[in-house]
Amino acid sequence: MKAFTLSMIGLALLITLILSLFAIGLRWNESTSYPKGVYQLTSSTYYPRGTLILFCPPDNPALQMALERQYLRFGLCNGGFEPVIKRIVGIGGERVTFTDVININQQRLPNTHRLQHDGFSRPLPQLDDFTLPDNTFFVISDHKPASSFDSRYYGPIPRENVFGEIKPLFLLEGD
């Protein structure tokens, strides 16, 4: 009985520690869009181009397909997705066009080629050119841009889906 009591106390302390770290904004990233490791989440009301954000992907058919194909993991966001990390490259009102790369207001973004098929030869969504609606962002992964499933396939991220700016604190090597 004493061992059980000590185990329960240990478990309670571990849960308290995890919840405390979560409360101060520490997050563990396990996705492939950015290196695995510990990140610090901070709330903000201003997200300029270049900001790394943590957000819930919007629930749309492209993202449901991504969940079924396991590009994304299951989580608590609307639609069943886990929150993801991406960098803002476009802001509401800007024009997104697709040539051999993504263009934001006619500015080419290097290393942003769209794939036609995934690694299993399944077709990927192909968006038409569009203007970002107000209060939305166009996001990509600049860590692994060739293989990232991001706004070039599923479209803009609504501002209300953004938890905040996220910054790496401790990253694991080799990713």
Side-chain angles (χ1 to χ4, degrees):
M1 187 66 165
K2 187 175 182 177
F4 176 77
T5 302
L6 288 175
S7 295
M8 296 283 51
I9 291 171
L11 180 60
L13 288 172
L14 179 62
I15 291 171
T16 301
L17 175 64
I18 290 170
L19 291 174
S20 297
L21 293 173
F22 191 84
I24 63 170
L26 295 183
R27 302 293 188 272
W28 175 258
N29 177 51
E30 188 67 27
S31 79
T32 57
S33 289
Y34 280 90
K36 290 175 178 49
V38 178
Y39 289 73
Q40 175 74 51
L41 178 66
T42 57
S43 62
S44 179
T45 57
Y46 176 63
Y47 301 105
R49 183 184 330 281
T51 304
L52 197 60
I53 58 172
L54 179 69
F55 64 93
C56 279
D59 187 10
N60 66 33
L63 281 152
Q64 286 298 325
M65 177 210 67
L67 189 62
E68 290 169 14
R69 293 181 180 182
Q70 299 179 348
Y71 303 159
L72 299 174
R73 295 182 352 180
F74 179 79
L76 298 178
C77 294
N78 186 26
F81 317 112
E82 71 176 350
V84 294
I85 299 172
K86 305 284 183 198
R87 189 168 308 279
I88 295 173
V89 296
I91 299 170
E94 296 182 333
R95 184 79 178 148
V96 178
T97 57
F98 301 97
T99 57
D100 58 326
V101 294
I102 299 167
N103 303 276
I104 306 288
N105 286 344
Q106 300 179 351
Q107 298 296 311
R108 293 170 55 84
L109 301 179
N111 302 316
T112 59
H113 305 280
R114 282 195 301 176
L115 300 175
Q116 302 296 311
H117 298 90
D118 69 9
F120 295 99
S121 298
R122 298 174 293 194
L124 290 168
Q126 302 295 307
L127 300 175
D128 293 326
D129 298 349
F130 66 96
T131 299
L132 284 163
D134 289 340
N135 297 311
T136 65
F137 303 109
F138 194 89
V139 296
I140 63 166
S141 170
D142 53 357
H143 173 65
K144 291 188 174 178
S147 61
S148 177
F149 194 78
D150 51 36
S151 283
R152 70 188 118 180
Y153 303 108
Y154 56 73
I157 300 302
R159 181 183 208 64
E160 63 264 17
N161 289 30
V162 177
F163 291 113
E165 182 175 359
I166 195 154
K167 295 181 180 179
L169 294 180
F170 175 77
L171 303 177
L172 298 180
E173 296 294 322
D175 190 23

